[in-house]
Structure formats: C-alpha cells, structure tokens
Amino acid sequence: MDLEKRHLKTVDWTIIMILVALGIFSYLGISGSAAGADKAHQQVIWYIVGFIVLGGTLLFDYRLFYNMSYVLYVIGLVLLIGVFQTKPINNTTSWYDLGPILLQPSEPMKLFTILAVARFMAKRAEDPDRFYYFYKLIPVAALVGVPLLLILIQPDLGTALVFTGMLATMLIVGGIRLKHVMYVAGLVGSFFAGMTMLYQYKQDIFFKIIKPYQWDRIIFWMDPDLEAMGRGFQLKQALIAIGSGQLFGKGIDTPTQASFGWVPVGESDFIFTVIAEKLGFIGAGLLMILFFFLIYRMIRIAMEAKDPFGSYVVAGVVGMLTFQIFENIGMTIQLMPITGIPLPFISYGGSSLITNFLIIGVVLNVGMRKDKLRFD
C-alpha cells in the first residue's frame, strides 16, 4: 500500500463531490421510474459499495495497474469467452448469473482494455515513429478489436461501440497522424457504402450481418411515428415525457408516464427521460453540467500526469465516459439511435456502477501520484 498524507492532499475532491451529486440524481431518477423506491434503495447500496471500491483503489500506486494490465486483459477475455456458456438473458449472452447479482464481464473489460492499450503505447511513447506508419496501429487496434468482436457476438452493439470511443481518444492523445485518421474514415465510409448496396440489392446477405432488430432501431429512430404504438413506441414516449417536463418538471412524487411504465426501462437505459420529466429542463441541464465538470476535471488530470501511461489511461476513460453520456442522452432525444448503453453513475445496475467507480478510482490515483515514473 502506498497511501500517504501528501497523496490525500492531492485527491481531486471535486470529482468526489460530483459523484455524490450524481448519486442523488440516480436515486431520484430510479425512484421516479416504474421500478420505484425498492430499486432506488438498492442503488444506494451499490453506491456505498462503489465508494468503498474507489477508496480501496487509492491505496495502491497505479504502477500496480501497469504491471498487471496484460494479466487483467487476458482474464477479461476469458470471462468474455466463458459468458457464451451461460443462459441467455433478454436474448443476449452478456451476464453471469451469480444469484443476487448479475455480472456483466464487458463492463470491467473496458478498464482492462484501457490499461493494456495504455501500457503498449507508454512503452513506445519516446519513439517519434510509433505511429508514423499505418501498420504500427495494428497491435493497438487488435487489443481493442478482440474484446469488441466478442461483445458484438453476444450481441451487444452499444457496449462494443464504447470501445471505439476509447480507442479514438487514446490514439488522438498518443499523436496519431491526420492522414491515418483519413484512412480510417475512408474504411468506415467504404463499409457503410457497401452495406447500403447490400441492403438495396442483396437483403438476404445484409440481414445476416445486421440483425433485423438492429435495423429496426435505425428505421424507427429516424421516424418513430411509423409505428407509434409498436416499434417506435419507446422513443415516441421518451420524447413526449421529456417535453412534458418543461422548465421545472412535474415533481418526483407526481404520477407521470415514467412512473406508470409508459417509458420502458426508465430506471436504466431511459433514466434521463425520467429525470427530464420529473425535474424539467433545469434538473436535466444541471445533470449535464455535472457530467461536463466531471469530464473537465479528468482532462486536467490527464494533462498534468507526469508519465505517458497515466495520460493514456485517463484519456481512455474520458473517451469511454464521453461516448456513453452522449449516446445515452442522445438516444432519448432522437439525436442517436437507441442502444443498450446505460447512463454512467445514473442508470440502475451493479456491474456498470461498480466498474465506473473502479475506473474513477484509477483516474484519481493518477492525479494523486504525480512523481515522475519510469517504466522499464
């Protein structure tokens, strides 16, 4: 253990206070949904466990995470492979049923992947040609691509997309060349052009790659009124609920669409809808301001880190959380297609919440220990 008084003085207590405030929003949102007070009280327990995990993370010098990064990465891959032997839940093989809790291995795998990529890039931080040639990006892409593909097979498209946000942020901080960004953009553009042609001329092949329900999400995201009481119901009700909250909201105790279950999974994927309906524009805006300052404080930690490993780790976390926040809120207001991505620190759930606390603990650890480190 390596926790000293001088380290405690350098803890970013602003981030701790932001987490407490997010916990209040989480409780209000879950209690205002159809899930009610029982799950809100469970979330409080998860929050307490999360702060304990965060505190435990601060006891160790984060060089320990550097040394264990590849081991943790392999453990994460084993868990992702093993989950295919479990019984499907909600038509996906994404969870281990451990009785009172469900463990989703893709959640800790986010951190394990960030650590592994950060270590790989930190070892080459002094090499000016580390990303000069496009082929040098292949090992980094492979570290992210393997868990991404395993998660896609589950299938869990939303979580898989989070890995692309992590990779992009870490490569930008690592100094990826602009022309390589254009190469990747060209590949992505070619993929979508090819998928468009398949849909027009070979729909049998297209729907072997894109699941029908995934395609439905795109179609009814663009126009939920096509089936306002069918496949567009979830988004349509979310938009109505958010709009009905107006400026100050309807109040937590007021019976609303959210509390009667008209907004499906209001305690989880669509919890922002519940908050906007119950607390209005003011409450929803305050929540987004809290997220903004959380990301801002982490960016400061990344910029002030005294070693490349710490900078890359925090950059990956910033990319991960930013993407999740943007996607989750965006899908409730028809800005993004609907995916199963929870809103960090707000949505109900143990695996996601505990993992996020662990991740923030690593970020705070980097900010606490700013002495120059050497990685041999």
Side-chain angles (χ1 to χ4, degrees):
M1 294 187 183
D2 184 50
L3 189 63
E4 303 175 7
K5 288 184 178 180
R6 64 186 178 90
H7 291 147
L8 287 175
K9 292 179 180 179
T10 56
V11 171
D12 193 327
W13 293 103
T14 300
I15 288 181
I16 302 295
M17 296 303 296
I18 290 173
L19 294 180
V20 172
L22 291 176
I24 295 172
F25 271 100
S26 180
Y27 180 84
L28 294 176
I30 295 171
S31 61
S33 71
D38 288 343
K39 284 195 173 181
H41 294 154
Q42 293 177 24
Q43 187 79 340
V44 172
I45 295 174
W46 285 123
Y47 249 88
I48 294 172
V49 175
F51 274 111
I52 293 173
V53 170
L54 185 152
T57 307
L58 302 183
L59 296 176
F60 304 94
D61 192 312
Y62 72 92
R63 280 177 291 189
L64 175 67
F65 299 108
Y66 177 91
N67 295 329
M68 295 182 61
S69 56
Y70 291 152
V71 175
L72 292 172
Y73 180 82
V74 173
I75 292 174
L77 289 181
V78 171
L79 290 174
L80 284 178
I81 294 171
V83 82
F84 292 111
Q85 305 303 315
T86 63
K87 183 179 179 180
I89 300 176
N90 296 329
N91 298 317
T92 64
T93 51
S94 300
W95 291 274
Y96 288 100
D97 189 346
L98 303 180
I101 63 172
L102 294 174
L103 173 63
Q104 188 174 8
S106 59
E107 290 297 329
M109 192 63 203
K110 296 173 187 175
L111 174 60
F112 300 162
T113 302
I114 289 173
L115 293 174
V117 172
R119 175 171 175 171
F120 181 88
M121 293 175 63
K123 292 279 286 186
R124 294 154 180 78
E126 303 301 325
D127 180 7
D129 296 330
R130 60 188 179 280
F131 294 139
Y132 188 80
Y133 300 103
F134 190 70
Y135 73 86
K136 291 191 174 184
L137 296 174
I138 294 176
V140 179
L143 284 171
V144 177
V146 172
L148 185 152
L149 289 175
L150 290 173
I151 293 169
L152 275 177
I153 295 171
Q154 290 178 357
D156 186 354
L157 176 61
T159 303
L161 290 174
V162 175
F163 281 73
T164 64
M166 290 159 30
L167 175 63
T169 309
M170 296 179 77
L171 287 177
I172 290 172
V173 173
I176 186 174
R177 301 179 70 192
L178 179 59
K179 73 173 186 178
H180 294 160
V181 175
M182 300 303 295
Y183 290 161
V184 174
L187 290 173
V188 173
S190 299
F191 171 78
F192 282 110
M195 294 304 295
T196 301
M197 293 181 64
L198 278 178
Y199 179 73
Q200 291 177 339
Y201 303 109
K202 294 287 184 179
Q203 290 194 11
D204 55 332
I205 299 176
F206 177 85
F207 284 113
K208 288 181 180 179
I209 302 172
I210 303 296
K211 303 295 182 183
Y213 77 88
Q214 293 173 333
W215 183 242
D216 285 346
R217 288 181 177 179
I218 296 175
I219 294 297
F220 294 103
W221 158 57
M222 297 175 67
D223 189 1
D225 288 321
L226 289 173
E227 286 188 19
M229 296 303 293
R231 286 171 287 184
F233 178 82
Q234 191 174 29
L235 177 56
K236 186 70 175 179
Q237 294 304 313
L239 292 171
I240 292 173
I242 291 173
S244 67
Q246 299 186 34
L247 185 61
F248 297 105
K250 296 180 176 179
I252 294 296
D253 296 328
T254 304
T256 60
Q257 286 181 275
S259 54
F260 284 121
W262 283 85
V263 179
V265 290
E267 76 281 4
S268 181
D269 297 348
F270 277 76
I271 195 168
F272 181 79
T273 300
V274 180
I275 291 172
E277 183 184 34
K278 298 285 187 176
L279 303 179
F281 177 81
I282 298 297
L286 179 58
L287 175 60
M288 288 190 283
I289 290 172
L290 287 173
F291 278 131
F292 172 82
F293 277 106
L294 177 64
I295 299 299
Y296 166 72
R297 300 298 297 188
M298 289 193 295
I299 291 175
R300 285 193 56 179
I301 290 175
M303 295 176 65
E304 294 172 359
K306 299 302 183 181
D307 63 276
F309 176 70
S311 294
Y312 294 146
V313 167
V314 181
V317 173
V318 167
M320 180 196 80
L321 291 179
T322 301
F323 182 88
Q324 289 186 221
I325 294 166
F326 179 79
E327 167 59 30
N328 181 276
I329 295 177
M331 75 181 187
T332 66
I333 58 176
Q334 206 179 353
L335 186 62
M336 298 290 288
I338 293 176
T339 61
I341 296 179
L343 187 57
F345 299 104
I346 305 297
S347 295
Y348 173 80
S351 293
S352 175
L353 186 61
I354 298 303
T355 300
N356 286 334
F357 267 102
L358 176 61
I359 289 172
I360 294 298
V362 175
V363 172
L364 292 175
N365 204 315
V366 173
M368 286 166 55
R369 298 173 171 89
K370 298 179 180 180
D371 297 331
K372 184 71 174 180
L373 304 178
R374 294 180 58 86
F375 297 110
D376 300 318

